[in-house]
């Protein structure tokens, strides 16, 4: 179909969606994420300032659209979009692997500041095993596959760190721990590349390791899953040993197993995590080795081999042991019509499915630029309908369930710059009871103070003040301020009555 026809369809479905019935209620707690990837080359050829400008544009639009978490790709092929002592600068940043940005800057450090200033979480995203993508033609001398080529194998134009080697597991965990230690990130994220995606005519060259390192496991598939399980457990422990509050998440391929391969599999017919990538995602969830899971359900409702509705129901049923977020393909969602209402695209139907699934606690959008560019009016619909009001992060009581103390000395003060609500940070000693952010609610005269109503949230901020929208001093309001710790456990509220 010509591109112009796609644009016409996008516009038609977008306008029709504005007339669709929205989800009636919004959750106060919901993960609203977006992936910002580098591996597609969107930043290549940009100067540092141009890249910062583009990231600022995307972040501003995403903030307007209600996004509260960014998953930022910092390691695509054993390289770095941050200052690393272990791996070379990424060619997806500077065009040449190993070349530092000029003028110098640290994208991850900058993104941490930018996200936190907007009240967003930031999760550092790495690809664990991939050492070279297909289009990379040369590696820096400091690259792991150059320094120790026996630790990687070639597969379909790529280089893959061999998951069977314990030194590779240790190396990846060392890289991860370094990121967690040096950057004030809220989460650490890995994607769906474990053993490589199957390619016709290609064989994984791990026969020697299977013969010498089988650990008594007779089946090669079970042995490969064992290797990945060891890595997942080790990576989780490595992160938590440095900062126990950093959330560890994984975004696996959208099909765990097909029903033809397992009675508990989904009624689908596609590539499988368990059988093809050797990723036993449910095993990790049930063992508590991940803090959240984001299956990539990039298909449309009605897809013949991998129906979206079938898959979201399957993940809701089997993966509720940890917070479950759904990976959404923005462009595909607005491209396809709702099978039950062809006059609108699939965005309303997908959000209704989310609302109907008790274990689904959020969404991650693929990808950020599509939302920021408002493809198919997706961003507008988030801003005006589905994510109209702010949301806190889902609770993770298995990490921390203790709320911080209430804010102190809440008072309204006239300053040279206007009318401002000030408060003092509550006392706290350890990471699990120190306030990091604050929620400001506003209630009109006669309204019941209900902190479960997200429509009353006017700000989620890391500042200890809020500039009041003063008009003429004739309208009474009650403001309530609460404190949030690193896991966004919320304190009791403190009230202040003002006239605006």
């Amino acid at each position: 179909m010509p591109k112009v026809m796609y644009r016409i369809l996008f516009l038609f479905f977008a306008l029709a969606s504005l007339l669709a019935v929205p989800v009636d209620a919004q959750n106060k707690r919901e993960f609203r994420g977006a992936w910002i990837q580098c591996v597609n080359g969107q930043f290549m050829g940009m100067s540092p300032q141009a890249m910062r400008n583009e990231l600022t544009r995307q972040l501003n639009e995403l903030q307007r659209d209600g996004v509260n978490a960014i998953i930022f790709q910092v390691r695509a092929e054993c390289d770095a979009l941050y200052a690393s002592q272990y791996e070379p600068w990424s060619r997806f940043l500077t065009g040449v692997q190993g070349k530092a940005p000029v003028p110098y800057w640290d994208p991850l450090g900058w993104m941490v500041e930018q996200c936190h200033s907007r009240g967003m979480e930031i999760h550092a995203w790495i690809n664990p095993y991939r050492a070279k993508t297909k289009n990379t033609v040369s590696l820096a001398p400091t690259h792991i596959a150059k320094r120790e080529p026996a630790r990687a194998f070639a597969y379909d134009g790529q280089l893959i760190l061999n998951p069977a080697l314990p030194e590779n597991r240790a190396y990846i965990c060392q890289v991860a721990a370094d990121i967690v230690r040096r950057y004030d990130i809220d989460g650490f994220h890995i994607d769906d590349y474990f053993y490589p995606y199957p390619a016709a005519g290609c064989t994984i060259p791990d026969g020697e390791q299977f013969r010498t390192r089988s650990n008594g496991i007779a089946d090669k598939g079970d042995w490969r899953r064992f290797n990945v399980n060891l890595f997942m457990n080790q990576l989780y422990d490595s992160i938590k040993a440095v900062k126990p509050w950093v959330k560890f998440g994984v975004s696996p391929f959208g099909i765990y197993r097909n029903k033809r391969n397992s009675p508990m599999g989904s009624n689908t017919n596609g590539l499988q995590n368990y059988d093809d990538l050797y990723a036993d995602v449910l095993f990790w969830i049930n063992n508590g080795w991940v803090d959240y899971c984001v299956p990539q359900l990039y298909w449309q409702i009605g897809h013949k081999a991998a129906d979206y509705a079938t898959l979201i129901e399957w993940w809701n049923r089997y993966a509720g042991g940890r917070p479950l977020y759904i990976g959404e393909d923005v462009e595909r969602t607005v491209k396809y019509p709702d099978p039950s209402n062809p006059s609108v695209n699939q965005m309303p139907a997908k959000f209704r499915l989310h609302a109907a699934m008790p274990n689904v606690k959020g969404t991650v959008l693929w990808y950020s630029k599509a939302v920021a560019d408002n493809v198919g009016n997706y961003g507008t619909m988030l801003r005006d309908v589905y994510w109209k009001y702010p949301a806190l992060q889902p609770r993770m009581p298995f990490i921390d369930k203790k709320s911080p103390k209430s804010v102190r000395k809440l008072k309204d003060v006239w300053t040279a710059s206007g009318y401002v609500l000030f408060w003092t940070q509550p006392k706290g000693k350890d990471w699990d009871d120190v306030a990091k952010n604050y929620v400001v609610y506003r209630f009109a005269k006669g309204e019941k103070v209900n902190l479960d109503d997200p429509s009353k949230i006017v700000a989620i901020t890391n500042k200890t003040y809020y500039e009041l929208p003063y008009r003429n001093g004739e309208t009474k309001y009650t403001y309530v301020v609460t404190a949030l710790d690193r896991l966004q456990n919320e304190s009791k509220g403190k009230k202040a009555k003002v006239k605006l």
Side-chain angles (χ1 to χ4, degrees), residues 130 132-136 153-160 193 195-205:
R130 186 173 60 203
K132 187 187 83 67
T133 58
K134 288 184 178 182
N135 295 325
T136 297
F153 59 76
Y155 188 91
D156 192 31
Q158 305 174 84
L159 287 177
I160 309 294
Y193 294 92
Y195 278 87
Y197 274 61
C202 295
T203 302
I204 297 174

Side-chain angles (χ1 to χ4, degrees), residues 424-439:
T424 300
Q425 182 183 33
K427 293 181 179 180
K429 295 182 180 180
D430 299 321
W431 68 266
D432 57 350
D433 61 8
V434 172
K436 297 294 291 183
N437 289 288
Y438 304 92
V439 188

Side-chain angles (χ1 to χ4, degrees), residues 276-297:
D276 301 314
L277 303 179
Y278 308 101
D280 193 350
V281 183
L282 294 189
F283 188 73
W284 312 335
I285 292 171
N286 293 333
N287 277 280
W289 295 345
V290 296
D291 296 319
Y292 67 89
C293 179
V294 192
Q296 298 174 25
L297 305 192

Side-chain angles (χ1 to χ4, degrees), residues 31-74:
F31 191 90
R32 301 172 177 176
W35 280 292
I36 297 183
Q37 84 277 41
C38 69
V39 75
N40 68 338
Q42 66 172 313
F43 304 122
M44 289 180 66
M46 288 187 179
S47 68
Q49 188 57 54
M51 181 174 171
R52 287 192 292 269
N53 290 344
E54 172 59 16
L55 285 170
T56 298
R57 182 190 75 86
Q58 291 190 28
L59 291 175
N60 287 342
E61 289 300 313
L62 295 170
Q63 182 182 23
R64 290 178 64 209
D65 296 340
V67 169
N68 62 15
I70 297 297
I71 300 177
F72 181 55
Q73 189 174 29
V74 299

Side-chain angles (χ1 to χ4, degrees), residues 388-399:
K388 183 176 182 179
Y389 305 117
L392 306 186
Q393 298 296 338
R395 291 185 178 91
M396 291 189 176
F398 48 88
I399 300 177

Side-chain angles (χ1 to χ4, degrees), residues 253-389:
F253 184 74
I255 299 173
Y256 176 69
R257 301 193 82 184
N258 298 309
K259 190 174 287 294
R260 72 173 187 271
N261 295 95
S262 169
M264 69 171 292
S266 54
N267 189 21
T268 51
N269 182 26
L271 182 135
Q272 305 160 98
N273 278 289
Y274 185 93
D275 302 85
D276 301 314
L277 303 179
Y278 308 101
D280 193 350
V281 183
L282 294 189
F283 188 73
W284 312 335
I285 292 171
N286 293 333
N287 277 280
W289 295 345
V290 296
D291 296 319
Y292 67 89
C293 179
V294 192
Q296 298 174 25
L297 305 192
Y298 291 166
W299 303 279
Q300 69 270 25
I301 299 170
H303 190 284
K304 291 181 179 180
D307 173 54
Y308 178 95
T310 296
L311 284 166
I312 193 172
E313 291 171 1
W314 187 94
W315 286 97
N316 175 73
R317 178 179 301 173
Y318 290 103
R322 282 290 187 260
L324 174 64
Y325 315 142
I326 302 300
E328 295 282 357
D329 186 308
V330 171
E331 292 183 343
R332 184 169 293 191
T333 296
V334 298
K335 172 183 174 182
Y336 286 95
D338 181 346
S340 62
N341 184 8
S343 66
V344 300
N345 67 36
Q346 295 197 352
M347 187 178 187
K350 287 186 175 182
F351 270 83
R352 285 194 295 271
L353 282 169
H354 279 233
M357 304 293 151
N359 289 322
V360 172
K361 305 298 182 183
T363 309
V364 183
L365 303 173
W366 179 259
Y367 49 101
S368 65
K369 190 175 185 299
V371 184
D373 291 349
N374 202 22
V375 172
N377 229 36
Y378 198 98
T380 299
M381 290 298 292
L382 290 178
R383 180 166 61 248
D384 294 343
V385 181
Y386 299 105
W387 291 352
K388 183 176 182 179
Y389 305 117

Side-chain angles (χ1 to χ4, degrees), residues 20 32 53 94 165 167 170 181 185 207 273 294 323 329 371 400 453:
R32 301 172 177 176
N53 290 344
T94 65
L165 301 180
E167 55 266 38
R181 182 178 299 107
I185 58 175
N273 278 289
V294 192
D329 186 308
V371 184
D400 171 34
D453 183 354

